[in-house]
Amino acid sequence: MAITIMEAGLPMKHAKHARRHRSRLGARVASTTGALAVILGAGVGSAAAEENASGVVPMATTAPLDAAEAPGQLTLPAPTGRYGVGTVDLHLRDSSRMDPWVPGQQRELMVSLWYPATHTGNFPAAKLPVSQQVLPGGVTLPTTAGHIGAPVDARAGKLPVLLYSPGLHGHRGQATTLVQDLASRGYLVVTMDHTHDSSDVLFPDGRHEVNLMPPGSKSRHTIDVRAADTRFVIDQLVALARGDNPDAENKQLPQGLSEAVNTKRIGMFGSSLGGGAVPAAMQADSRIDAGANLDGQFFGTSINKSLDRPFLLFSSERHNRDTDRSWARFWRHLHGERLDLKLRGSGHNSFVDHQVLFRQAPGAFGLTLPQLDQILGTIDPNRSIAIQRTYLAAFFDKHLRHRSGHLLDGPSRHYPEVDFIR
């Protein structure tokens, strides 16, 4: 399991200190866990960050912190929607594109589809898509709420699609807490590994692909690659909705999946650099109707172009368009509904599963208690997750399902931790 501690979104004055700190912290994590440690620099608010793309920490899953669990077993909070959750992994080959990071190799991706499911008790629960399931001290990564191959719950009707892109060098499972909750609310959520950017991708034939991006890779180029990956994945979903099987091994698909895909309603969100890639994907593909960025800095030219579709910016406490010039520039080019929210007490890693995993077993990740507050902020992780789930669902419900509500109109007494930045 690759551990990437995200630093994206720090104010500019903190970027230099963060780079020094991450090298010390990364060395400690690597030596303690024996796993690959990548300190995520993509999104740090400085011009230097664009020169050297860095990534996010892959994560495990966890449950409420006071839940009684078997010793050493990490868990994730249960989904809150009305449906059970199914999942299936797909191996996709892009015959029209070569791999941008490995010359002479065809572009291949691994994605996971998460959806409302029925009869889940008859199907095994999925593990996180990482190579290392047991951490030092015998701490085991959690299983997810997704059940492999379970039938789609027809009561959910046609499923709007949400695409998820992780932080730089992160894996597609790093926001499972948010992803499986959205699936339980009636969405088809497609999580993407960006091969050779991610530090941990497992293919069905047993291949284990790692980060092979050359030193000094530009974040703007990385974002362009992710936009192309996203467009290709949408094409494969369209094929799936036609009744085709896009999986390279032609694996059996869950019952009812093809009929349920609604490619007329598509949203996209991402964490850190994955969030920073959403505007580029939206500019490259008009089929994406709405986008959300969870605390990632923007790079490249896409933020200088007008975008007339809804967009949500959701930041940690010390990062916003007041401290990140890329956010301020992008904000001026948004001509659809735009929201800029700040989560008080949160840190950059509050927007991935680290917020629950690290606090359950900090020693297994090579972290001390003081470091947790620096990395995760001071907000209670269960409260943080509940807030993010609520606002993310409200945003996509409004723009993909046309469900009205007042949560996004302004500050709420039920969620005083959320500031609306006007």
Side-chain angles (χ1 to χ4, degrees):
M1 177 183 174
I3 298 178
T4 314
I5 297 181
M6 303 191 296
E7 292 177 358
L10 292 178
M12 294 178 65
K13 66 180 180 180
H14 296 291
K16 186 175 181 180
H17 171 74
R19 289 194 294 272
R20 290 197 302 267
H21 172 74
R22 75 185 180 221
S23 62
R24 294 194 299 268
L25 181 56
R28 182 175 298 183
V29 172
S31 62
T32 304
T33 66
L36 175 65
V38 184
I39 303 304
L40 189 63
V44 173
S46 76
E50 187 171 2
E51 298 303 316
N52 298 295
S54 340
V56 166
V57 189
M59 315 178 277
T61 48
T62 116
L65 298 181
D66 56 356
E69 299 295 336
Q73 176 70 58
L74 302 179
T75 58
L76 287 175
T80 60
R82 62 183 294 189
Y83 302 107
V85 179
T87 187
V88 62
D89 296 336
L90 297 182
H91 173 200
L92 306 178
R93 278 201 191 101
D94 188 348
S95 59
S96 68
R97 220 169 25 125
M98 302 305 289
D99 192 289
W101 308 117
V102 179
Q105 185 168 313
Q106 192 176 47
R107 187 63 168 163
E108 295 178 87
L109 303 176
M110 287 299 300
V111 302
S112 294
L113 277 58
W114 300 75
Y115 54 87
T118 187
H119 299 100
T120 55
N122 299 328
F123 296 84
K127 296 179 180 180
L128 291 177
V130 295
S131 56
Q132 184 179 347
Q133 294 291 326
V134 181
L135 302 179
V139 174
T140 304
L141 297 184
T143 54
T144 73
H147 293 264
I148 302 171
V152 175
D153 193 329
R155 295 174 301 171
K158 283 284 194 179
L159 307 177
V161 173
L162 294 177
L163 301 153
Y164 174 76
S165 181
L168 184 64
H169 307 323
H171 62 79
R172 68 187 188 274
Q174 69 182 187
T176 297
T177 300
L178 296 177
V179 166
Q180 61 189 16
D181 187 72
L182 287 163
S184 77
R185 296 172 185 248
Y187 286 94
L188 171 63
V189 189
V190 182
T191 59
M192 301 178 288
D193 269 334
H194 301 284
T195 312
H196 303 130
D197 167 345
S198 171
S199 57
D200 197 3
V201 184
L202 302 174
F203 282 91
D205 61 4
R207 280 180 297 141
H208 178 207
E209 299 290 351
V210 298
N211 166 33
L212 294 177
M213 291 171 57
S217 296
K218 306 287 188 180
S219 292
R220 59 180 178 267
H221 176 55
T222 306
I223 282 174
D224 288 342
V225 171
R226 288 178 175 227
D229 286 347
T230 302
R231 185 178 181 87
F232 167 66
V233 169
I234 294 175
D235 289 342
Q236 301 314 295
L237 293 173
V238 171
L240 177 62
R242 288 197 308 260
D244 298 336
N245 186 345
D247 183 72
E249 282 76 35
N250 200 38
K251 75 186 301 180
Q252 183 175 351
L253 300 177
Q255 179 183 334
L257 182 61
S258 292
E259 298 83 358
V261 180
N262 184 358
T263 54
K264 302 297 183 183
R265 297 181 180 181
I266 299 177
M268 183 176 178
F269 70 107
S271 313
S272 194
L273 192 73
V278 175
M282 294 180 74
Q283 294 287 0
D285 199 324
S286 62
R287 293 173 293 185
I288 304 174
D289 300 301
N293 174 5
L294 306 181
D295 210 44
Q297 188 178 3
F298 296 117
F299 298 99
T301 61
S302 61
I303 60 171
N304 297 318
K305 301 175 183 178
S306 295
L307 185 64
D308 61 359
R309 282 162 277 166
F311 206 95
L312 167 65
L313 296 168
F314 208 165
S315 76
S316 57
E317 182 168 359
R318 296 196 300 167
H319 174 225
N320 203 266
R321 72 176 195 270
D322 296 330
T323 58
D324 184 337
R325 287 175 293 184
S326 73
W327 278 38
R329 189 162 63 249
F330 180 57
W331 183 258
R332 293 193 295 269
H333 289 88
L334 287 174
H335 300 292
E337 178 170 345
R338 58 184 187 175
L339 287 168
D340 186 353
L341 308 181
K342 178 185 290 188
L343 182 57
R344 294 183 194 172
S346 64
H348 189 56
N349 286 271
S350 296
F351 294 90
V352 290
D353 292 344
H354 295 348
Q355 63 186 322
V356 283
L357 300 180
F358 285 2
R359 291 200 182 276
Q360 290 183 61
F365 297 98
L367 299 171
T368 65
L369 291 178
Q371 287 172 332
L372 291 180
D373 286 347
Q374 182 174 0
I375 294 167
L376 304 172
T378 57
I379 189 170
D380 176 80
N382 293 307
R383 179 64 175 170
S384 173
I385 288 167
I387 291 170
Q388 292 177 53
R389 285 173 164 180
T390 299
Y391 278 85
L392 203 58
F395 176 76
F396 286 121
D397 281 352
K398 179 176 182 179
H399 296 294
L400 300 184
R401 289 171 154 166
H402 308 296
R403 294 181 179 175
S404 59
H406 299 290
L407 181 65
L408 303 179
D409 293 345
S412 168
R413 62 184 177 85
H414 300 294
Y415 301 101
E417 302 93 336
V418 177
D419 291 330
F420 281 66
I421 309 300
R422 302 299 191 183

